[in-house]
Amino acid sequence: MLGLEGAPPVHALTTKKTCDPSGMTFATGGAGVLYSTSHEVPALAKQVDTFRKMVKDGTITEKQPSHSVALVAFSGNDYAGTGVIGLSSPNDINAYIGKVTKEIAANVDQLLKLGVTKVLVNNLHPIGCTPSHTRTNNYTTCDIFENLGASIHNDNLKQVMTSKKNVYIVDVYTAFTNIVDHAAGKGSELSKQFKHKLSPCCESLDSDGYCGQQGESSAELLYTVCDNSNRFFYWDDMHPTHAGWEAVMKQLEKPLREFVNQA
């Protein structure tokens, strides 16, 4: 959509004091919005601070942010494995989710202050529909409590972003739901291309294992891979296939283009 052949390079893998003309990726796998001692990865504020330092030292010129789009991508790592959503008391859930969304908003403010004129923030996908949560019922239905938690996050995010100009919430929740968790007979045309909406193409043989896991010898594969990934929405326990993401982006492209191109 931006006329690039691929994603901008990863900051951690580039030479210091350089920035590719296409931009920079500060995201780190496993990172969350809030700092966590259990993950030795930079949280969102640290990523934004790295960007800030590059602007301040001139590695990124003052003009570049004004012609750029920033994407603050959130996949729910702050909620994964913490037992926060679906298990805690409602008050605890709301308080924790509130901390996460306020921190996202604070970092969006930092980006705007640094001169970025357009910021995209995605809301949370229906995490109860990921195979890690649908496995317990044989990949037949989504976990309504997990999806309720995602909806609370999305409502909070909308509230803290409402007053901000030049910020657009990318509605991945609806785009996913249209494919994987719609009422009978109400699915979008895009959903019909997926025979398997709630089960993974790459599945671990062990319920506690993961896609790509090997045994003691590299020849022993502890997972199976489907024959046609294009018929599956999800690749593994958490992530969509390429076909899945394409179906999501087909729904998002028009509003995204309108936001990016507006004066």
Side-chain angles (χ1 to χ4, degrees):
M1 286 171 58
L2 297 176
L4 304 176
E5 291 298 315
V10 178
H11 173 263
L13 302 179
T14 55
T15 308
K16 286 187 176 181
K17 303 291 184 183
T18 61
C19 181
D20 192 87
S22 68
M24 188 68 74
T25 300
F26 297 95
T28 303
V33 173
L34 304 176
Y35 175 74
S36 171
T37 54
S38 62
H39 295 289
E40 292 300 318
V41 292
L44 178 59
K46 180 70 174 175
Q47 296 170 26
V48 172
D49 191 53
T50 301
F51 171 69
R52 181 188 65 79
K53 288 175 180 175
M54 293 178 74
V55 172
K56 295 301 181 186
D57 69 16
T59 303
I60 295 174
T61 67
E62 287 187 15
K63 282 186 177 180
Q64 282 177 301
S66 66
H67 295 89
S68 300
V69 180
L71 168 64
V72 178
F74 178 68
S75 302
N77 284 340
D78 293 86
Y79 306 137
T82 62
V84 170
I85 292 182
L87 297 177
S88 306
S89 72
N91 286 342
D92 289 342
I93 292 172
N94 285 328
Y96 185 79
I97 291 174
K99 281 179 66 176
V100 172
T101 52
K102 283 175 184 173
E103 181 68 5
I104 293 173
N107 281 283
V108 167
D109 284 339
Q110 288 298 313
L111 291 170
L112 294 170
K113 284 178 183 176
L114 288 166
V116 179
T117 50
K118 287 180 179 155
V119 181
L120 302 170
V121 185
N122 69 275
N123 63 10
L124 190 54
H125 61 287
I127 50 182
C129 296
T130 56
S132 60
H133 292 295
T134 62
R135 179 184 290 116
T136 52
N137 50 46
N138 202 28
Y139 304 123
T140 55
T141 56
C142 300
D143 185 320
I144 58 172
F145 292 108
E146 294 286 337
N147 284 353
L148 175 61
S151 294
I152 294 170
H153 169 93
N154 294 342
D155 288 343
N156 279 22
L157 184 70
K158 193 173 182 180
Q159 287 177 16
V160 296
M161 293 297 171
T162 297
S163 62
K164 300 186 192 306
K165 291 183 178 179
N166 300 318
V167 177
Y168 179 78
I169 295 178
V170 185
D171 189 6
V172 297
Y173 187 94
T174 299
F176 271 57
T177 300
N178 285 344
I179 296 169
V180 300
D181 191 28
H182 51 78
K186 298 289 186 181
S188 66
E189 282 299 312
L190 289 170
S191 74
K192 295 174 183 176
Q193 77 182 72
F194 300 103
K195 183 179 180 182
H196 308 276
K197 299 180 178 72
L198 302 176
S199 56
C201 170
C202 183
E203 184 175 13
S204 170
L205 300 178
D206 179 358
S207 60
D208 294 322
Y210 56 89
C211 169
Q213 188 174 8
Q214 296 177 333
E216 292 183 8
S217 72
S218 58
E220 184 186 10
L221 304 181
L222 303 181
Y223 63 94
T224 59
V225 179
C226 67
D227 292 330
N228 186 358
S229 62
N230 286 340
R231 300 290 283 161
F232 286 72
F233 181 78
Y234 285 104
W235 165 250
D236 58 12
D237 278 356
M238 293 285 183
H239 308 93
T241 57
H242 282 296
W245 273 122
E246 283 182 9
V248 168
M249 287 306 300
K250 277 182 181 177
Q251 301 173 75
L252 299 174
E253 184 171 356
K254 185 170 183 261
L256 277 173
R257 279 190 184 278
E258 289 174 354
F259 173 74
V260 169
N261 292 332
Q262 71 186 19

